[in-house]
Amino acid sequence: MRLGVVILPEQPWEQAAELWRAAEEMGFSHAWTYDHLAWAGLRDEPWFGAVPVLTAAATVTSRIRLGPLVASPNFRHPVSLAREVLAVDDISAGRLTLGIGAGGLGWDAAILGGPAWNLDERLSRFEEFVTLLDRVLVERETSFQGRYYRVEEARSYPGCRQRPRVPFALAGTGPRGMRTVARFGQAWVTTGPRGVDRPLGATAGARVVGEQLALLASACEEVGRPEGVPERVVLAGPGLDQGLASPQQLTDTLGTYAAVGVTDFVVHWPRSSEPYRGDRDHFERVISSVSSGS
């Protein structure tokens, strides 16, 4: 089981750089940041752009994989995002994984002045967004006419350092989203259930994720990918307990999710206030204990 961490893009770089270096030194396999214009209850707090933060993180690390968790069509276009992806993939020496999701109904959905899209439109845009982004990153020249996006001779020189393109970590739990994951994903991402009062413990959470993985397996069979999606990522925190109370709890949590087929487990770097409030010394002891024993 690989461990990952989300570091919110909220601190000035002179402070944040140390966190990204520490994440690598602690043995995390991958480190992520959220890609939003405004997020949760932090709308009026400091918040920096995901791509510049990941670019800077690439310059102070050398091993750990990096990525947004997740970018979405809410405020991005496949062609402009592709250019940023090419740059970060190059600067990181091929350590970028591109997380992509359908987006939600938060501030990102309407902050640019348009109406928020309903679920059907978000899923349709997600499918077209990923389809086009895949083409732009793989093909040197792309023209495309879709329902939502039109591209005329978009260039993609020099191409990704990772071939044929950077890996996609796609978030989707319903049938339509799962089919997009099955077609294009090198990793699948889930936050477990939605709308729970408090995060589920490992046993209940793994049961939910196991059911989702069964749907993903069906979607892979449907699109002719019987081998399935190789990496299956659980993002703990929103709906699933992170298991950070002790080294033993985290060890047990990782084992419970591994038993249903999860390959990667992502926690949040502790903050001084909610959400994800925690003590850094305790966090480092728990992670270091588990990492050293794995």
Side-chain angles (χ1 to χ4, degrees), residues 21-230:
R21 283 192 293 262
E24 181 167 81
E25 293 166 359
M26 289 167 62
F28 282 107
S29 296
H30 32 79
W32 311 82
T33 199
Y34 285 160
D35 187 23
H36 290 283
L37 297 177
W39 181 72
L42 305 180
R43 185 181 190 181
D44 297 317
E45 301 296 327
W47 193 267
F48 297 98
V51 172
V53 168
L54 291 169
T55 304
T59 68
V60 298
T61 58
S62 60
R63 174 196 58 81
I64 197 167
R65 291 197 67 84
L66 308 166
L69 205 66
V70 290
S72 82
N74 271 353
F75 60 91
R76 293 201 173 277
H77 188 283
V79 173
S80 56
L81 179 59
R83 281 298 185 191
E84 295 176 333
V85 166
L86 294 180
V88 181
D89 189 47
D90 178 63
I91 293 167
S92 68
R95 291 184 289 128
L96 177 68
T97 297
L98 181 59
I100 314 171
L105 292 173
W107 289 308
D108 284 350
I111 203 168
L112 297 182
W117 305 320
N118 61 33
L119 178 60
D120 180 71
E121 182 168 351
R122 292 202 309 274
L123 291 172
S124 296
R125 284 180 177 269
F126 174 59
E127 180 178 15
E128 190 170 305
F129 186 96
V130 173
T131 300
L132 176 53
L133 185 59
D134 172 74
R135 285 188 55 183
V136 172
L137 289 174
V138 172
E139 300 173 3
R140 293 302 181 94
E141 300 177 9
T142 303
S143 294
F144 181 90
Q145 178 65 64
R147 180 178 178 185
Y148 302 105
Y149 302 103
R150 179 177 178 176
V151 174
E152 296 291 343
E153 299 183 358
R155 301 301 200 263
S156 187
Y157 305 126
C160 295
R161 180 173 289 210
Q162 301 175 82
R163 299 294 185 178
R165 58 158 168 77
V166 301
F168 288 175
L170 303 180
T173 55
R176 293 176 63 186
M178 290 286 198
R179 285 193 292 273
T180 301
V181 176
R183 288 177 60 202
F184 296 102
Q186 285 65 57
W188 167 71
V189 181
T190 183
T191 57
R194 293 184 178 273
V196 294
D197 294 333
R198 64 183 62 183
L200 298 182
T203 300
R207 186 180 305 116
V208 171
V209 172
E211 293 169 352
Q212 293 174 339
L213 281 168
L215 293 175
L216 179 59
S218 297
C220 288
E221 290 283 353
E222 183 180 339
V223 304
R225 190 178 179 179
E227 73 279 6
V229 175

